[in-house]
Amino acid sequence: AQKVTQAQTEISVVEKEDVTLDCVYETRDTTYYLFWYKQPPSGELVFLIRRNSFDEQNEISGRYSWNFQKSTSSFNFTITASQVVDSAVYFCALSGNSGGYNKLIFGAGTRLAVHP
Amino acid sequence: GAGVSQTPSNKVTEKGKYVELRCDPISGHTALYWYRQSLGQGPEFLIYFQGTGAADDSGLPNDRFFAVRPEGSVSTLKIQRTERGDSAVYLCASSQRGGEAYNEQFFGPGTRLTVL
C-alpha cells in the first residue's frame, strides 16, 4: 500500500521566518516520484516540485528547497524567508510504478499561515 | 493558454438526485484525472482516462459514480442517487500523456458539491 503522512496540521510563522514542512511516505514501488503542491485559498492546486526516487540530491530553487532522504522515507520542503503570499495548504504526494504513475497519493496537507 | 476548467464551480443538490460535473482539460492533453477532496483532507484519486477510455477506475467509491470522456477531450463525472457523504470538492486534472510521472498534472479549480 502507498501512504503519505504529513504530521503537521497547521503551522503559523511570522514573515521572513524559515519554515519546513514534513512529509513521510510509504511505498513498495521500486520507482516512484514525490511531489509538493500548493493550494491557495482560491482552491486550485499548483505544482511546486517533483523528485524521482533515484535522485536524492537536494536542491534549492529560489526560496524553496527540499530534502529527500530515502533511508527515512522523508521528503521535507523548506520555504526560506517566508512571505504572506506563501499562506496556503501544502500537499505532499507520491506516484509509483505500480499505479502506472497515473494516480497521485496525497497527504492530508499542512496549512501554513504567514503573518506580517 | 487556457488551463483546466470545471463547471459548475458550485453545485447544491438534494439527497437522491443525479448530478453531472464537467471538466475541460488543457487542449492537447490526452490524460485526464478526477479526484475528490473532502474537507480538511488531501485529494483522493477517482479515475484516470487515457484518450477516450477509462484506464484506471479503481478509485471510484461505488457504482453510483461513473465518468465518461466520449471524444477524448471533455469529461463528465456523473453521480447517481447522491448522498450527503458525497459532499466534497471534485477536482479534475490533465497531463500531456498518462503513465509518465514527469508529465505533471495540471489541476482545475474544482466543483464544490453540496448534498443537502
Side-chain angles (χ1 to χ4, degrees):
Chain A
Q2 297 183 320
K3 185 178 179 182
V4 175
T5 302
Q6 295 179 252
Q8 304 152 308
T9 307
E10 293 190 34
I11 299 176
S12 182
V13 300
V14 176
E15 212 171 13
K16 298 184 183 174
E17 282 186 34
D18 297 348
V19 56
T20 295
L21 309 180
D22 297 335
C23 173
V24 174
Y25 62 92
E26 295 175 30
T27 183
R28 293 182 180 177
D29 287 346
T30 53
T31 306
Y32 52 91
Y33 286 76
L34 296 161
F35 303 78
W36 277 97
Y37 278 84
K38 174 182 179 180
Q39 189 172 44
S42 62
E44 201 158 327
L45 279 163
V46 177
F47 166 82
L48 295 177
I49 54 176
R50 168 184 49 236
R51 211 81 190 128
N52 73 55
S53 53
F54 293 109
D55 186 356
E56 289 191 68
Q57 182 177 353
N58 297 313
E59 290 191 19
I60 297 174
S61 176
R63 295 189 298 111
Y64 298 157
S65 62
W66 49 98
N67 186 332
F68 174 32
Q69 293 195 357
K70 214 167 176 178
S71 60
T72 57
S73 297
S74 65
F75 185 53
N76 298 337
F77 174 61
T78 298
I79 302 173
T80 303
S82 59
Q83 301 174 2
V84 173
V85 293
D86 295 328
S87 296
V89 181
Y90 289 81
F91 292 97
C92 180
L94 166 72
S95 173
N97 59 304
S98 67
Y101 304 113
N102 293 317
K103 59 178 78 169
L104 290 168
I105 309 298
F106 286 88
T110 297
R111 182 176 299 278
L112 173 64
V114 182
H115 302 283
Chain B
V4 177
S5 62
Q6 293 186 246
T7 55
S9 55
N10 277 285
K11 176 71 177 177
V12 180
T13 190
E14 293 180 345
K15 180 176 178 295
K17 298 289 189 183
Y18 168 83
V19 297
E20 290 189 351
L21 311 179
R22 176 188 166 112
C23 172
D24 229 308
I26 292 173
S27 177
H29 281 192
T30 62
L32 185 145
Y33 314 80
W34 283 99
Y35 292 82
R36 178 169 72 173
Q37 186 175 18
S38 301
L39 192 62
Q41 299 297 316
E44 292 179 292
F45 171 82
L46 295 177
I47 187 169
Y48 151 64
F49 285 90
Q50 180 57 47
T52 60
D56 183 351
D57 64 358
S58 61
L60 294 178
N62 52 60
D63 60 7
R64 295 187 299 104
F65 289 74
F66 64 103
V68 296
R69 195 185 184 201
E71 297 177 0
S73 179
V74 170
S75 175
T76 305
L77 178 65
K78 308 183 181 194
I79 310 174
Q80 298 177 318
R81 304 183 304 280
T82 52
E83 299 177 357
R84 293 196 179 87
D86 298 335
S87 296
V89 175
Y90 290 81
L91 296 168
C92 177
S94 70
S95 66
Q96 282 190 327
R97 291 183 297 278
E100 299 169 348
Y102 50 84
N103 276 308
E104 108 188 46
Q105 294 185 23
F106 294 84
F107 282 81
T111 293
R112 182 177 298 279
L113 175 66
T114 303
V115 182
L116 300 176

